[in-house]
Amino acid sequence: QRTHGLGTFAVRPRLESRLHLASFSQDMRRRGLTPSTRILSVSLDRPTREVAAALGLADTDTAWRVVRIRLADGQPIAHEDGWYPAGLLADLDRQDLVGGSLYQIMGEQYGLWVDHAAQTLWGESADATMAALLAAPLHTPLLVFRRISTASGRPIEYVVSRYRGDRYQVHMDLSRDLQAADVTEGNKS
């Protein structure tokens, strides 16, 4: 990749993800990469109305806010800003959030195994703050995922992850739902 005024740089191939329910750590290990985490902050706070509604919290409830950088083989891949209900995850701030998978911690320590998630994806451009956090050039394309995860039907995670689009891509296999298509086509007459 050539950047005017900076020079020519070797570009690493993008990590490809097939959409599935897994933690970042599981996803990276599956690829043969070593996942790691840099914690930016862990705090008990009152979430926004949107987050509180998604997590089924009252306006006065608190939640853990965990902000971190996710790395693969030491290279920054993603920035995660996650919210977790304090009432379900007491003392989350005392867990090993650097060395372990948060999903594994929630399952093993609290009996809350993530079994479903609704995820939305969109694109953004890295502003100066996000570019610095991800060690990326200004305006690097980002893949942004908002995920609301549940355990046995109970919301336990609201997280927005910003992945470097120059290092990460998503693969989707799509197929036509023939039953739904037949019903729709049958109703046209």
Side-chain angles (χ1 to χ4, degrees):
Q1 174 180 345
R2 290 184 184 166
T3 305
H4 182 69
L6 293 177
T8 303
F9 304 92
V11 178
R12 293 190 172 121
R14 289 183 179 126
L15 299 172
E16 182 171 286
S17 178
R18 294 181 181 269
L19 293 180
H20 61 287
L21 185 57
S23 71
F24 178 88
S25 299
Q26 292 167 328
D27 189 26
M28 293 304 115
R29 283 190 191 103
R30 184 178 53 87
R31 300 166 191 281
L33 303 171
T34 303
S36 58
T37 300
R38 192 166 62 233
I39 300 289
L40 300 181
S41 66
V42 178
S43 60
L44 196 55
D45 206 348
R46 193 167 287 153
T48 64
R49 286 182 190 228
E50 177 184 348
V51 173
L55 293 176
L57 301 175
D59 289 341
T60 57
D61 288 341
T62 58
W64 292 107
R65 185 175 189 185
V66 179
V67 182
R68 54 199 181 153
I69 300 295
R70 309 307 305 271
L71 303 99
D73 286 348
Q75 299 299 312
I77 300 295
H79 174 275
E80 292 182 348
D81 187 351
W83 291 87
Y84 307 88
L88 297 176
L89 302 164
D91 302 323
L92 183 64
D93 61 331
R94 295 188 185 161
Q95 300 295 327
D96 179 13
L97 301 176
V98 173
S101 160
L102 186 52
Y103 282 10
Q104 188 173 355
I105 290 168
M106 289 190 295
E108 291 177 0
Q109 300 299 317
Y110 301 96
L112 297 168
W113 295 97
V114 173
D115 56 15
H116 181 266
Q119 187 163 270
T120 303
L121 167 68
W122 67 90
E124 285 181 3
S125 175
D127 62 17
T129 301
M130 194 58 60
L133 288 169
L134 291 172
L138 185 63
H139 304 301
T140 295
L142 302 174
L143 295 172
V144 186
F145 297 87
R146 180 182 56 229
R147 179 185 279 194
I148 300 167
S149 303
T150 61
S152 300
R154 194 170 201 171
I156 60 170
E157 175 185 52
Y158 179 104
V159 63
V160 175
S161 304
R162 288 174 168 81
Y163 282 76
R164 286 185 57 165
D166 61 340
R167 293 195 176 160
Y168 194 83
Q169 65 188 21
V170 177
H171 174 86
M172 293 174 255
D173 284 322
L174 306 174
S175 62
R176 183 174 177 210
D177 181 351
L178 295 179
Q179 281 186 320
D182 289 344
V183 170
T184 303
E185 290 173 10
N187 290 335
K188 287 182 181 179
S189 50

